[in-house]
Amino acid sequence: MRKASRLFEIIQILRLARKPMTAAVMAETLEVTVRSIYRDIAALQAMRVPIEGGRGIGYIMRPGFDLPPLMFSIEEMEAIVLSLALLERTADEELKQAARRVNRKISGAVPAPLRQAMDSKALYAWGSIAQPAGFDLAIVRRAIRDECKLMLGYRDEVGRASERTIQPIALIYYSQTANIVAWCELRQAIRNFRSDRVEHCAARDAFFKGDGDRLRELWTSGWTEKAVPV
């Protein structure tokens, strides 16, 4: 780990710590020697970072200290670049537009070396691009946030049409489509609805406030076997 990245990580560890952190614990976390941590702490204190404590008792950071925004390491910037590129391959047009805005904002705010990592065109997301859904996936994302029921016109794998009232709890993006995970009021079970089989989708004036977390817990703790495509 580069020294600059290590100093940043030490600050992050101390900012988030609820009790004094020893050099040994930080050294194990960052995979460096205890002596390196002592040197780094001294360097940060020389830069007037408000770290207090000492050897044997641990270190704390006085409240009120914060980092400038958008302090990323090179590796973190590469993760952002690749994540934004992957979003470009989804069928969610609103998220794609948001990803482009994020790219512009970060590129305009970070220092020159990090901007080079964004602009180098050295990392690519490859593979098929999802076909646009027949409706706006933003409707589903808003319904998940607002815990609002949706009415779907849906056609299953053999072409049978049905109308479903669902309580959407998650959206899974694949390379070719997206799956809406929801409680289906018709089936009284959690189901996955492929976005490319949805013929129309609209928010209802009905809600399932306070139930979203409970349904997600059901989905992730044993109901996943029953969350089958319909």
Side-chain angles (χ1 to χ4, degrees), residues 98-224:
R100 292 163 195 159
R101 293 195 302 271
V102 168
N103 200 320
R104 289 194 298 269
K105 286 180 181 179
I106 294 177
S107 183
V110 297
L114 295 181
R115 193 177 306 118
Q116 285 181 336
M118 292 196 75
D119 298 339
S120 66
K121 306 299 182 187
L123 298 177
Y124 291 86
W126 198 253
S128 59
I129 298 176
Q131 294 298 309
F135 67 102
D136 191 351
L137 285 169
I139 296 172
V140 180
R141 287 189 286 102
R142 281 194 286 271
I144 292 170
R145 291 196 300 266
D146 298 339
E147 296 184 339
C148 174
K149 295 183 182 183
L150 294 174
M151 176 61 75
L152 296 186
Y154 194 73
R155 219 169 260 282
D156 66 16
E157 70 276 8
V158 296
R160 290 187 298 253
S162 62
E163 293 284 326
R164 308 290 185 101
T165 296
I166 65 168
Q167 300 172 20
I169 58 172
L171 193 54
I172 305 172
Y173 290 87
Y174 295 97
S175 60
Q176 295 182 349
T177 187
N179 275 10
I180 305 166
V181 182
W183 178 264
C184 176
E185 295 189 355
L186 176 66
R187 301 301 185 197
Q188 287 294 293
I190 292 177
R191 291 287 187 265
N192 288 353
F193 297 90
R194 287 180 51 139
S195 62
D196 56 354
R197 294 179 185 163
V198 174
E199 297 186 325
H200 61 83
C201 174
R204 292 192 56 193
D205 190 18
F207 298 86
F208 55 103
K209 293 292 188 183
D211 252 2
D213 287 339
R214 180 185 65 82
L215 290 172
R216 274 185 289 274
E217 188 174 345
L218 281 176
W219 175 48
T220 57
S221 62
W223 278 75
T224 48

